[in-house]
Amino acid sequence: FISLLPFLVATIVGSMILSWLLDGEGIIGATLQIIFNDPSLSIKASTSLMWIALMVYGVWHTLPFSFITFYAGLQTVPQDTLEAARVDGASKWQTMMNVVVPHLMPLVSFVTLMLLMDNFRVFEPIISFQAEAHAQSLSTFIVSDLREAGNPLYASAGATSILTIIGVAILLTPVLIRTWRDFNVKAH
């Protein structure tokens, strides 16, 4: 349960908590100011540090999903194939590279695809970190276009949304082609 907590916490709540921790008065921000002896040091004011913080948050938030998915996938590795590899004299490394990894490749594709699609819609961490000046995503572009007063930028927001859909379709195409080939091979 503890390992799943980052995945279960709402994105906005988790990113706001981390934002408070990174603030100059937060525990991480204050600690960094003490370590570097710079009271004006601010993670939120630096583009590179903000991107690092967003990446750390992304890994922290999605790691439980990946862990549980791969753990479940490891449970499905055929024991008879593992035993046959051991009987044939394969080392643990050879068994992992020639039996376990090929068995998990469809799962690797699935998890990678899910996380890439999830990264297309990153919005809450950027808004919660108040990092719009330093980091943008397709979602923040759409919202900022819609927020503009007096300008009919709905066309721009719609175009960005369509680009998101096209990007997801491009990411899905290799997986769908491979699935179709595997299905046709098994059917014949």
Side-chain angles (χ1 to χ4, degrees):
F1 175 76
I2 298 296
S3 65
L4 278 177
L5 211 51
F7 188 65
L8 297 175
V9 170
T11 309
I12 189 77
V13 173
S15 56
M16 285 183 77
I17 290 170
L18 189 58
S19 175
W20 292 331
L21 291 172
L22 295 175
D23 197 18
E25 296 173 2
I27 192 164
I28 296 172
T31 303
L32 289 175
Q33 288 175 352
I34 291 169
I35 290 173
F36 292 107
N37 197 21
D38 183 3
S40 66
L41 179 67
S42 173
I43 292 175
K44 293 181 178 182
S46 168
T47 302
S48 56
L49 291 177
M50 182 52 64
W51 274 108
I52 290 170
L54 286 168
M55 285 186 245
V56 167
Y57 172 77
V59 169
W60 174 80
H61 183 68
T62 57
L63 192 63
F65 168 74
S66 303
F67 174 78
I68 294 294
T69 305
F70 284 118
Y71 182 72
L74 285 172
Q75 303 304 310
T76 66
V77 175
Q79 293 301 314
D80 55 340
T81 308
L82 291 173
E83 187 177 330
R86 270 182 259 150
V87 169
D88 288 343
S91 67
K92 288 183 179 185
W93 177 255
Q94 290 170 326
T95 303
M96 184 179 69
M97 294 307 293
N98 296 316
V99 176
V100 176
V101 171
H103 180 76
L104 293 179
M105 282 315 289
L107 205 53
V108 169
S109 298
F110 168 74
V111 169
T112 303
L113 184 64
M114 292 302 293
L115 295 179
L116 282 172
M117 288 188 319
D118 192 44
N119 283 323
F120 265 113
R121 59 175 190 80
V122 171
F123 180 73
E124 292 95 344
I126 292 175
I127 297 302
S128 298
F129 285 1
Q130 299 169 344
E132 298 98 328
H134 302 290
Q136 290 286 327
S137 70
L138 286 173
S139 299
T140 58
F141 280 130
I142 292 168
V143 169
S144 65
D145 281 353
L146 291 174
R147 221 187 261 166
E148 294 288 326
N151 294 332
L153 291 175
Y154 291 106
S156 175
T160 309
S161 300
I162 294 298
L163 287 175
T164 303
I165 292 169
I166 290 170
V168 169
I170 289 170
L171 289 172
L172 274 174
T173 300
V175 174
L176 292 174
I177 290 171
R178 181 176 176 196
T179 304
W180 183 255
R181 281 189 202 144
D182 290 348
F183 177 74
N184 284 335
V185 167
K186 290 179 184 177
H188 296 138

